[in-house]
Amino acid sequence: PDGQEGGERQARDATMGGGAVDVELCRLGGGWPMDQEPGDVTGDLRGDFGDVGDRATTWMRFGLRLAPDRGPLAGLLAGAAHFFAERLARKFIAGSNVREVLGAIARLRRRSLAFTVDLLGEATITEKEADESRDDYLELIEGLSREVNAWPQNDLIDRDDHGPMPRVNVSVKLSALYSQFDAIDPEGSSRTVRERLRPILRAARERRVFVNIDMEQYAVKDLTL
């Protein structure tokens, strides 16, 4: 219910400082090795949450100033930070493999919600990584369509006034398909990206999957178009 969701949101904002703190915690959690020293986690928290400024609550700013760099309390703080970062990330990350993603999609469909799935990762800096990204998209298309297309139809999200719609929607980052994706060489970038994009589009057409081209950051908008 809206009232319950509003109350949960107000409670979170009162304790966590709202979206700015969420973004920092999610970003930090993605870059923390699990074996990182507790003192390093404390330093990261102080440095990055300092950028949040007044959007962090008073108790959070005060607590970080007193947070220990070593010892049992530092270990507890590091463990808690990892736990909450992972909990927050799970709101946005459907899973680490196709099987986990299918579980998240099934829960959405039970609520008559459609979806688009993207691959998370660092920037592509080698051609080997670009090939791996292509293969990962192909695996995602194959694995999701094989299962989802066999599920019972939900007319609220599987049809429109023109007839059946693709059930699987995959968002593709073009920059993941070429290590030198740059507007300085638009023709070369386009040529190389299209070589890796074509098998993705062919697989999507064969399996009735919708491919959504991710616009990514503004700097590559024109090149993407």
Side-chain angles (χ1 to χ4, degrees):
D2 291 342
Q4 179 180 346
E5 292 178 0
E8 291 175 351
R9 188 180 305 112
Q10 290 174 1
R12 186 203 67 184
D13 290 348
T15 55
M16 292 291 291
V21 176
D22 287 356
V23 168
E24 287 298 334
L25 188 58
C26 197
R27 187 182 65 79
L28 278 171
W32 277 334
M34 291 307 294
D35 59 352
Q36 189 175 18
E37 291 297 323
D40 294 332
V41 174
T42 302
D44 287 343
L45 288 171
R46 287 195 186 115
D48 287 273
F49 281 101
D51 295 337
V52 175
D54 293 339
R55 287 169 292 179
T57 57
T58 301
W59 71 263
M60 178 179 289
R61 296 195 298 271
F62 181 73
L64 286 175
R65 284 198 296 270
L66 298 180
D69 293 320
R70 59 181 63 87
L73 289 178
L76 285 174
L77 175 63
H82 276 292
F83 173 78
F84 285 112
E86 183 176 346
R87 285 283 301 274
L88 180 62
R90 282 293 175 185
K91 294 181 180 180
F92 307 101
I93 301 175
S96 59
N97 54 56
V98 171
R99 181 54 51 188
E100 291 181 2
V101 173
L102 283 168
I105 290 172
R107 291 190 292 273
L108 289 173
R109 286 182 59 85
R110 284 195 291 270
R111 299 167 58 195
S112 295
L113 295 174
F115 66 90
T116 184
V117 179
D118 191 9
L119 292 175
L120 299 180
E122 299 298 325
T124 297
I125 58 175
T126 68
E127 290 303 274
K128 182 176 183 294
E129 291 174 344
D131 284 338
E132 291 172 352
S133 292
R134 175 203 58 208
D135 294 343
D136 287 342
Y137 281 120
L138 290 171
E139 180 183 359
L140 194 62
I141 289 171
E142 169 64 28
L144 294 185
S145 63
R146 183 173 58 247
E147 298 284 338
V148 177
N149 288 343
W151 290 348
Q153 180 171 289
N154 182 337
D155 286 340
L156 284 175
I157 55 177
D158 294 336
R159 298 182 64 87
D160 63 9
D161 56 334
H162 296 289
M165 297 189 300
R167 299 183 183 184
V168 177
N169 185 316
V170 175
S171 292
V172 175
K173 288 186 173 69
L174 298 187
S175 64
L177 302 179
Y178 185 34
S179 65
Q180 305 299 317
F181 191 74
D182 197 308
I184 199 171
D185 180 21
E187 292 183 2
S189 293
S190 177
R191 182 172 56 253
T192 305
V193 165
R194 282 183 281 126
E195 290 175 358
R196 293 191 174 101
L197 184 60
R198 285 192 186 99
I200 294 173
L201 297 179
R202 291 191 186 105
R205 182 173 58 189
E206 292 171 1
R207 293 164 178 79
R208 289 193 54 77
V209 171
F210 184 90
V211 172
N212 176 66
I213 301 300
D214 194 329
M215 286 305 297
E216 305 188 61
Q217 64 268 27
Y218 182 81
V220 296
K221 173 181 70 71
D222 292 337
L223 179 57
T224 299
L225 293 174

